[in-house]
Amino acid sequence: DKFLADGNFDKCKGRVVLHGNEQDPDMYPDRSSPTVAVHSIFACLTAAAYHGIREVAKIDVKGAFIQTPMEGPPVYMRCNKELTKLIVKVYPHLQKFVSKCGYLYCRLLKALYGCVQASKLWFDKLIKFLRKEGYEQSPIDPCVMRRVVDNKVWLLLIYVDDILVIADKDEIERLRAQFTEEFTWITMDVTVDMIHYIEKMLESVTKLEESSVPANKNIFVVDEKSPLLPELERKRFHTLVAKLLFLSKRARPDISTSNGFLCTRVTKATVEDKRKLFRLLGFLKRTKGRVLKLHPKDLALLAYIDAAFASHFDSKSHTGVAFFLGGALIFIASRKQKCVTKSPTESELVALTDYIGLVESFAEFIGFITNSSVQIPVIFQDSTSVISLVTKGGGIVRTKHLRVRMNLCKEGVDQKKFRIVYVPTKRMIADGCTKALEKRDFEVFMNCLLDGIEK
């Protein structure tokens, strides 16, 4: 059974799937296909909002794989007895090809679901079709395509057989006609709503108390004496955390820090971890009506990068990142650092240099989707010692690896790929991505993420 996003029944659905695990992967070395990155979607929607593009449509190619011809070495399939009976019932003339054991052997002419190369064949077919329609791929994200007409930029975002169209009515109707001509079945509609998603998730939890913040200051503290959850409870814990991760990546970035820690506990969850999870769910219960808004004021790329020194039990620090386009959030990250640093300055340097490459990629990507030159990105940093290191150079750096990081960042500053600007800790938005905040500070943090920031 398939259900709609609002929980209503849609239809019964079934398909024939090949056991791709029985194929020889060495025969298909190029079999991977990409999907659009979540932060690319936010960047495109924000740019579209700034340019006043209000028309958005979704193209869903039904049965995309079975509309795609097979290429390369031939693939043969043995249909099991149950499937063979169904095939013969529909096509009686095939009875003479059924083996004595009751099997039917076929050569695939279309990219059946389950084939290791099916998604790659479909992606290549779709890209070839869209290029013919005047679209070009982004060098940063191959699943984002643009078409420029009279200084207007139309965008397509590809996620397997779902294509999000950001264009005007004429271009949307033109694409509808061309897709209908090229493919047998398509549908076009748009539904964006994750409030129902939160409500359905909360239904599975009883006696849930509301909370004003998703976590307290001990979120990263692991209680080694807390008993492990029974396996059934641990699996339920894992399921809820995975659902929260999906939510945090798309509509509720304000829970990224607390849920990021819970993701590290899914294989060894304890009673204490369950309490932390329920606090987060209680916060969502209290704030389930909050939504992420994209109201850009310009196309300036601002990056807030921060670190909390030695915040984990193993003395590793924690990195927090928030990117804004025109004041609207387009990317967020809250991650434990991979190496132990010796001082707050080192931890800030590691955080900064881990993400300067992504800042440069975002700048290039924004130039592509807007078909225009972009302002030099600004990276906000609240450590004056780090700013001195990466803008003036010199100083004493403990290891050659940290020296490489320092000089890499300084080179970017010197080449005007980005600017490093000081911001007081009170205004460092990414601070909320490095640790749990008290109620008043957290509300400021949450409002900046969901409602956007002033320039």
Side-chain angles (χ1 to χ4, degrees):
D1 293 346
K2 183 177 179 180
F3 295 87
L4 300 173
D6 60 4
N8 291 322
F9 175 78
D10 182 18
K11 59 188 173 184
C12 292
K13 187 175 182 179
R15 59 166 60 108
V16 176
V17 179
L18 185 76
H19 285 184
N21 60 303
E22 297 182 2
Q23 290 181 265
D24 183 358
D26 293 335
M27 296 179 65
Y28 315 96
D30 184 18
R31 59 184 185 274
S32 63
S33 63
T35 55
V36 65
V38 173
H39 52 260
S40 295
I41 298 175
F42 282 120
C44 290
L45 291 175
T46 301
Y50 174 73
H51 287 297
I53 300 175
R54 303 302 181 191
E55 298 294 331
V56 179
K58 181 173 75 74
I59 299 175
D60 182 7
V61 181
K62 301 295 183 181
F65 289 3
I66 58 175
Q67 298 192 61
T68 304
M70 288 290 287
E71 297 177 5
V75 176
Y76 297 92
M77 178 180 73
R78 186 186 73 181
C79 302
N80 62 31
K81 295 178 181 179
E82 292 76 12
L83 180 58
T84 297
K85 290 178 182 179
L86 291 173
I87 293 174
V88 171
K89 185 176 180 180
V90 178
Y91 303 105
H93 63 283
L94 297 179
Q95 177 63 55
K96 60 184 177 182
F97 297 106
V98 177
S99 69
K100 293 180 180 179
C101 297
Y103 298 122
L104 187 64
Y105 293 85
C106 315
R107 176 179 174 177
L108 294 186
L109 302 179
K110 301 290 184 179
L112 192 66
Y113 292 92
C115 290
V116 295
Q117 72 273 43
S119 59
K120 174 64 174 174
L121 291 173
W122 158 249
F123 184 76
D124 290 345
K125 175 182 171 68
L126 179 62
I127 295 300
K128 183 178 179 180
F129 165 72
L130 292 174
R131 283 177 175 162
K132 186 178 68 175
E133 295 302 317
Y135 283 84
E136 59 177 319
Q137 283 177 283
S138 161
I140 302 298
D141 191 331
C143 291
V144 176
M145 305 189 73
R146 74 175 183 188
R147 179 170 181 249
V148 182
V149 181
D150 297 331
N151 293 323
K152 296 179 180 179
V153 183
W154 311 140
L155 299 174
L156 301 180
L157 288 70
I158 303 167
Y159 195 97
V160 192
D161 56 359
D162 292 320
I163 301 102
L164 188 67
V165 184
I166 304 175
D168 63 10
K169 288 184 178 180
D170 291 340
E171 177 64 6
I172 290 173
E173 289 305 316
R174 188 187 75 85
L175 282 173
R176 183 198 299 272
Q178 296 304 113
F179 265 88
T180 303
E181 182 179 336
E182 178 72 15
F183 303 102
T184 307
W185 313 285
I186 73 164
T187 60
M188 296 182 68
D189 55 17
V190 176
T191 302
V192 181
D193 186 351
M194 294 201 75
I195 294 177
H196 174 75
Y197 180 89
I198 297 174
E199 291 174 342
K200 291 295 290 183
M201 182 169 51
L202 295 178
E203 284 179 4
S204 64
V205 184
T206 58
K207 299 180 180 179
L208 190 63
E209 295 183 5
E210 293 188 359
S211 174
S212 58
V213 292
N216 61 27
K217 62 181 181 180
N218 296 321
I219 180 64
F220 295 146
V221 176
V222 177
D223 184 357
E224 299 291 348
K225 296 181 180 180
S226 182
L228 293 172
L229 292 176
E231 183 59 16
L232 193 62
E233 279 289 291
R234 187 203 64 79
K235 288 182 177 180
R236 183 166 175 257
F237 177 94
H238 194 161
T239 298
L240 285 170
V241 170
K243 289 181 177 180
L244 288 169
L245 179 63
F246 182 83
L247 176 67
S248 68
K249 292 291 186 181
R250 286 155 179 81
R252 292 300 299 268
D254 50 318
I255 67 171
S256 296
T257 306
S258 49
N259 193 60
F261 169 77
L262 294 176
C263 286
T264 68
R265 305 294 301 166
V266 294
T267 61
K268 47 186 179 294
T270 65
V271 172
E272 176 64 21
D273 295 324
K274 183 179 177 180
R275 279 197 286 266
K276 292 177 179 179
L277 170 63
F278 274 44
R279 179 174 187 137
L280 174 52
L281 293 172
F283 169 74
L284 284 177
K285 180 179 179 181
R286 184 173 183 265
T287 62
K288 63 182 179 182
R290 293 299 302 267
V291 295
L292 179 63
K293 300 175 184 177
L294 302 177
H295 295 308
K297 302 165 185 64
D298 50 41
L299 291 178
L301 178 60
L302 308 178
Y304 292 80
I305 303 177
D306 195 24
F309 175 62
S311 55
H312 292 275
F313 181 74
D314 57 3
S315 298
K316 290 181 179 178
S317 302
H318 201 90
T319 295
V321 181
F323 290 3
F324 294 84
L325 181 59
L329 183 73
I330 58 174
F331 175 79
I332 191 169
S334 174
R335 292 172 184 161
K336 182 179 179 180
Q337 293 185 357
K338 295 181 180 179
C339 59
V340 177
T341 52
K342 196 175 181 179
S343 67
T345 298
E346 284 189 5
S347 66
E348 294 278 7
L349 179 61
V350 168
L352 177 62
T353 51
D354 275 348
Y355 282 92
I356 56 175
L358 188 59
V359 171
E360 293 178 43
S361 295
F362 259 113
E364 183 178 347
F365 181 70
I366 292 164
F368 175 84
I369 64 176
T370 60
N371 194 39
S372 62
S373 58
V374 297
Q375 303 175 36
I376 298 176
V378 175
I379 301 176
F380 290 108
Q381 173 62 232
D382 63 357
S383 171
T384 54
S385 56
V386 169
I387 293 176
S388 178
L389 282 174
V390 301
T391 57
K392 299 177 182 179
I396 299 175
V397 182
R398 182 168 56 92
T399 69
K400 68 177 181 180
H401 302 289
L402 290 172
R403 186 169 64 251
V404 167
R405 285 176 177 266
M406 178 191 73
N407 288 319
L408 176 67
C409 192
K410 185 177 184 302
E411 183 179 74
V413 173
D414 293 343
Q415 294 177 358
K416 299 188 185 306
K417 293 180 179 179
F418 46 80
R419 293 192 297 125
I420 309 292
V421 176
Y422 173 74
V423 65
T425 300
K426 275 290 184 182
R427 292 175 54 199
M428 170 52 75
I429 297 173
D431 186 46
C433 301
T434 66
K435 57 179 176 286
L437 300 176
E438 297 297 332
K439 181 180 178 181
R440 180 175 296 180
D441 291 336
F442 180 81
E443 287 179 350
V444 173
F445 168 70
M446 177 174 64
N447 291 336
C448 287
L449 297 187
L450 299 183
D451 299 333
I453 59 173
E454 296 295 331
K455 186 175 178 182

